[in-house]
Amino acid sequence: MRNSNRQWILKKRPVGDIKPGDLELVESPIPVPGPGEILVRTVYLSLDPTNRIWMSDMEQYMPPVELGEVMRGGTLSVVEQSNNPDFKPGDVVNTFTGWQEYAAVPMAQKMPPGVPLPAYMSVLGATGATAYFGLLDLGKPQPGETVVVSAAAGAVGSIVGQIAKLKGCRVVGIAGSDEKCRHLVKDFGFDACINYKTEKDMRAALKRECPNGIDIDFENAGGAILDAVMDNLAMKARIVLCGMISQYNATGQMAGTNITNILMKRARIEGFIIIDYLPRFGEFIAEMAPWVMQGKIKYDTTIVKGIESALPSLDMLFTGKNTGKLLIQVSDEPK
Amino acid sequence: MRNSNRQWILKKRPVGDIKPGDLELVESPIPVPGPGEILVRTVYLSLDPTNRIWMSDMEQYMPPVELGEVMRGGTLSVVEQSNNPDFKPGDVVNTFTGWQEYAAVPMAQKMPPGVPLPAYMSVLGATGATAYFGLLDLGKPQPGETVVVSAAAGAVGSIVGQIAKLKGCRVVGIAGSDEKCRHLVKDFGFDACINYKTEKDMRAALKRECPNGIDIDFENAGGAILDAVMDNLAMKARIVLCGMISQYNATGQMAGTNITNILMKRARIEGFIIIDYLPRFGEFIAEMAPWVMQGKIKYDTTIVKGIESALPSLDMLFTGKNTGKLLIQVSDEPK
């Protein structure tokens, strides 16, 4: 084992797109676990649109990452050394140790074997839970309703659409390429999918695919796509505001949204953050794990190797180069 | 009785501010009630911001008024002639016969005596019900929470604030003059009131008056005031979207609203229309009538005389010249 822990440090708050020097890859010594602590080696690092929010000092749902700190991120790790009798080397644990190769922590949640590790970082992790609670708890889909999902080929969106199908809804995805659209319809059972990059008139396209209006919009995009959704709401529509990825790299004022139809259609927009649902993760796993085992819910992962790839890969989320969950494989899975 | 029924007819859909010729005051013969019908004489006509919406062909919650039709509006009337055994001349009835002096209708809801008639058009009518259901059903105020009300000296806003006080909340109004603000604090028990016309920095003013953030915003204004509210939301805030009076005379695109904090604060915006609550009016009257009788809820009315004053008076709502409910007294109350 090299005595080197590569870490991505936030040096400057990015303005607009992230620029060279905003984050820096540095080498530190591997930490030595103190009494009762465990040393964990990062296997997978989750890249998420919200990473961009954490780099900024905009008003947000958690404190931003401080300058000089290791960049924050969800991780799946393996125990390398343990001073804690509850853990032994080789245990796979759910961690939140950020963009680095090693960390010493007092404890972590052990993950049971029998599941491909990337599933813990996607469909059976925070990503799947975001789709599950956002759609079911806020959206409350009823059979026969029409559900629109933006960033539909993304990690969350692709699962939202499949759950909505299991609940008997018509599901219309919005994604950024014909290939993604074909995949969502053919492999994931979406009823239709609109390529927002080639579609000239999103309002008309949504009207065509949602002739009875949109009952639920699971919103990951914001901006112009949300405006087109707003013009096609059904009465009593619910907009589940999960993210607004189109806006995170904005400089200056973010685009405003015309909320007139929230009034006219007696509709609702509600924001949520998955950390509020941590106490209810058991419910989610109990329903989602069988769906995944039975093949009723499928999931994609895009895996890029090496901690050095973390920053260069983040932009894939904003340009739509990933399909499904984007992970950095920082080190090998345990044998 | 003159055989003349003066009526305001919608001739053109206004663009921006209403202009001469958009509506026209015409004289028609007083209608003759058919078999089973009653002839009603309008006593009070309700003027409401939503009248402006009904004149336009924007997407809205009811069909717009057709060109050539009598302008729509809520009314309180007295029965003049009756071919219906359930009604007799002198009965006071709740009607929706619009901007005219007389109408023949098959039936109408009789209003019990003992209440000043303007109360039926305000605190004990759709106006009071809008305040009641919007605040309690959508806002769900808890003791100790902070409630902000825009257009606070208006018919709905002034009642919202008083109900919120009865529910143990801190209430901060936003109104358009120092006199209105003083009145709301001194006479209606608001904790504070901000004059948005003289306040230079609404964000800072709301921050000062709502040090723990805004838990509930009862939104009647929209536009810049709503943006300032958005920047001061407490976690899990509820925005009850009742109206956006600042936008109804807009030409072209309405102002967009920055909804980022809906996401960041896990907040909610929900629109509603009081007609959805008609089946629950009994609940409202059962709680509100005693409050009004006991003087716990006060109400203002601004009364202008004559059907010819309807259109010239409507603009008072948009320039803030009324306090409380704006009514046109079309004819004398029955003795």
Side-chain angles (χ1 to χ4, degrees):
Chain A
M1 198 163 92
R2 290 172 299 127
N3 186 15
S4 162
N5 178 25
R6 286 183 296 169
Q7 307 173 305
W8 281 100
I9 305 293
L10 182 65
K11 304 293 283 186
K12 281 197 298 228
R13 303 212 178 275
V15 176
D17 293 332
I18 300 169
K19 292 177 193 62
D22 290 342
L23 286 92
E24 204 172 283
L25 187 65
V26 304
E27 292 201 30
S28 303
I30 294 172
V32 177
E37 285 192 334
I38 56 179
L39 175 71
V40 297
R41 165 172 59 84
T42 310
V43 179
Y44 290 109
L45 165 67
S46 173
L47 293 188
D48 301 279
T50 198
N51 295 160
R52 179 64 188 82
I53 296 177
W54 296 339
M55 293 176 188
S56 80
D57 55 4
M58 67 182 290
E59 176 116 26
Q60 55 193 278
Y61 59 95
M62 293 172 82
V65 176
E66 294 293 332
L67 296 181
E69 274 185 4
V70 174
M71 179 58 204
R72 184 188 293 151
T75 46
L76 193 76
S77 303
V78 60
V79 175
E80 287 278 322
Q81 294 174 31
S82 175
N83 297 333
N84 179 330
D86 295 337
F87 295 87
K88 59 179 195 307
D91 284 349
V92 172
V93 289
N94 188 21
T95 43
F96 199 67
T97 46
W99 293 25
Q100 58 183 340
E101 294 178 295
Y102 294 93
V105 292
M107 55 178 303
Q109 190 196 351
K110 273 195 260 196
M111 304 308 272
V115 169
L117 296 194
Y120 280 137
M121 297 298 280
S122 56
V123 68
L124 295 178
T127 298
T130 297
Y132 180 88
F133 288 113
L135 179 66
L136 300 182
D137 216 56
L138 275 65
K140 299 191 169 53
Q142 304 300 314
E145 287 193 325
T146 297
V147 177
V148 165
V149 189
S150 54
V156 171
S158 57
I159 296 171
V160 168
Q162 294 177 82
I163 300 174
K165 284 306 298 175
L166 289 174
K167 297 295 177 183
C169 297
R170 171 172 177 80
V171 175
V172 177
I174 301 174
S177 77
D178 288 346
E179 190 187 339
K180 285 178 179 175
C181 276
R182 267 193 302 272
H183 173 58
L184 291 173
V185 171
K186 181 165 165 284
D187 304 321
F188 282 12
F190 283 49
D191 295 287
C193 183
I194 302 168
N195 178 348
Y196 75 91
K197 289 192 178 166
T198 57
E199 177 58 56
K200 293 280 185 296
D201 184 343
M202 279 300 293
R203 280 176 178 76
L206 283 169
K207 196 178 179 77
R208 184 179 68 233
E209 298 298 349
C210 310
N212 301 320
I214 299 166
D215 297 294
I216 299 175
D217 170 54
F218 196 102
E219 189 57 45
N220 295 307
I225 289 178
L226 179 54
D227 277 329
V229 165
M230 284 284 184
D231 280 353
N232 282 283
L233 295 182
M235 208 56 81
K236 295 273 180 191
R238 291 82 75 193
I239 297 176
V240 180
L241 191 59
C242 177
M244 293 196 286
I245 193 171
S246 71
Q247 304 298 306
Y248 297 165
N249 284 317
T251 49
Q253 192 76 19
M254 289 193 182
T257 299
N258 185 343
I259 61 170
T260 310
N261 274 342
I262 296 299
L263 183 60
M264 299 306 174
K265 298 297 178 76
R266 299 93 136 153
R268 188 176 69 203
I269 313 179
E270 192 162 2
F272 77 109
I273 303 288
I274 193 58
I275 50 182
D276 288 345
Y277 286 92
L278 285 177
R280 292 177 57 188
F281 253 54
E283 279 175 52
F284 151 66
I285 292 293
E287 191 159 19
M288 184 67 94
W291 282 342
V292 175
M293 310 285 198
Q294 296 158 22
K296 288 182 178 168
I297 298 275
K298 298 168 187 166
Y299 62 101
D300 294 315
T301 43
T302 300
I303 297 178
V304 182
K305 294 213 170 190
I307 188 71
E308 68 281 6
S309 308
L311 187 64
S313 302
L314 187 64
D315 198 47
M316 295 173 72
L317 294 167
F318 296 94
T319 55
K321 293 218 171 60
N322 63 310
T323 298
K325 185 69 194 179
L326 179 58
L327 296 176
I328 299 297
Q329 183 160 14
V330 177
S331 66
D332 290 341
E333 292 195 9
K335 305 264 159 25
Chain B
M1 198 163 95
R2 288 173 300 128
N3 187 15
S4 162
N5 179 27
R6 286 183 294 169
Q7 307 173 306
W8 281 100
I9 306 293
L10 183 64
K11 305 292 283 185
K12 281 196 297 227
R13 302 213 178 274
V15 177
D17 292 331
I18 300 169
K19 290 177 194 64
D22 290 343
L23 287 92
E24 203 172 284
L25 186 64
V26 304
E27 293 201 29
S28 304
I30 295 173
V32 176
E37 285 192 335
I38 55 178
L39 175 70
V40 297
R41 166 172 58 84
T42 311
V43 178
Y44 291 108
L45 164 67
S46 173
L47 293 188
D48 301 280
T50 197
N51 295 159
R52 179 64 188 81
I53 297 177
W54 295 339
M55 292 175 188
S56 80
D57 55 4
M58 67 181 290
E59 177 118 25
Q60 54 193 278
Y61 58 97
M62 291 172 84
V65 176
E66 294 293 332
L67 296 181
E69 274 186 4
V70 174
M71 179 59 204
R72 184 188 292 151
T75 46
L76 193 76
S77 303
V78 60
V79 175
E80 286 278 323
Q81 295 174 31
S82 175
N83 297 332
N84 179 329
D86 295 337
F87 297 86
K88 60 178 193 308
D91 283 350
V92 173
V93 289
N94 188 21
T95 42
F96 200 67
T97 46
W99 294 26
Q100 59 183 340
E101 294 178 293
Y102 294 93
V105 293
M107 56 177 304
Q109 190 195 351
K110 273 194 261 195
M111 305 307 272
V115 169
L117 296 192
Y120 280 137
M121 297 297 281
S122 56
V123 68
L124 294 178
T127 298
T130 297
Y132 180 88
F133 288 113
L135 179 66
L136 300 183
D137 216 57
L138 275 64
K140 297 191 171 55
Q142 304 300 315
E145 288 194 324
T146 297
V147 177
V148 166
V149 189
S150 54
V156 171
S158 57
I159 296 171
V160 167
Q162 294 178 82
I163 300 174
K165 284 307 298 175
L166 289 174
K167 297 294 177 185
C169 298
R170 173 172 174 80
V171 175
V172 177
I174 301 174
S177 77
D178 289 345
E179 191 187 337
K180 285 178 179 175
C181 277
R182 266 193 304 272
H183 174 56
L184 292 172
V185 171
K186 182 164 163 283
D187 304 320
F188 283 12
F190 282 49
D191 294 287
C193 181
I194 302 168
N195 178 348
Y196 75 91
K197 288 192 178 167
T198 57
E199 177 58 56
K200 293 279 185 298
D201 184 343
M202 279 300 294
R203 281 176 176 74
L206 283 168
K207 196 179 181 79
R208 184 179 69 233
E209 298 298 349
C210 310
N212 301 319
I214 299 166
D215 297 293
I216 299 175
D217 170 54
F218 195 103
E219 188 57 44
N220 295 306
I225 289 177
L226 179 55
D227 277 328
V229 164
M230 285 283 184
D231 280 352
N232 282 282
L233 296 181
M235 208 56 82
K236 294 274 182 191
R238 290 83 75 196
I239 297 176
V240 180
L241 190 59
C242 177
M244 294 196 287
I245 192 171
S246 71
Q247 304 298 307
Y248 297 165
N249 284 317
T251 49
Q253 192 77 19
M254 288 191 184
T257 299
N258 185 343
I259 61 170
T260 312
N261 274 342
I262 297 299
L263 183 60
M264 299 308 173
K265 298 298 179 73
R266 299 90 139 155
R268 188 175 69 202
I269 313 179
E270 191 162 2
F272 77 110
I273 304 288
I274 193 57
I275 51 183
D276 289 345
Y277 286 91
L278 285 177
R280 292 178 55 188
F281 254 53
E283 279 175 54
F284 151 65
I285 293 292
E287 192 159 19
M288 183 68 93
W291 283 342
V292 175
M293 310 287 198
Q294 295 158 23
K296 290 181 177 168
I297 298 275
K298 297 168 187 164
Y299 62 101
D300 295 316
T301 43
T302 299
I303 297 179
V304 183
K305 295 214 170 188
I307 188 71
E308 69 280 6
S309 307
L311 186 63
S313 302
L314 187 64
D315 199 47
M316 296 173 72
L317 295 167
F318 296 94
T319 54
K321 292 216 173 61
N322 63 309
T323 299
K325 184 69 193 179
L326 179 59
L327 296 177
I328 300 297
Q329 183 160 14
V330 177
S331 65
D332 289 341
E333 293 195 7
K335 305 265 159 25

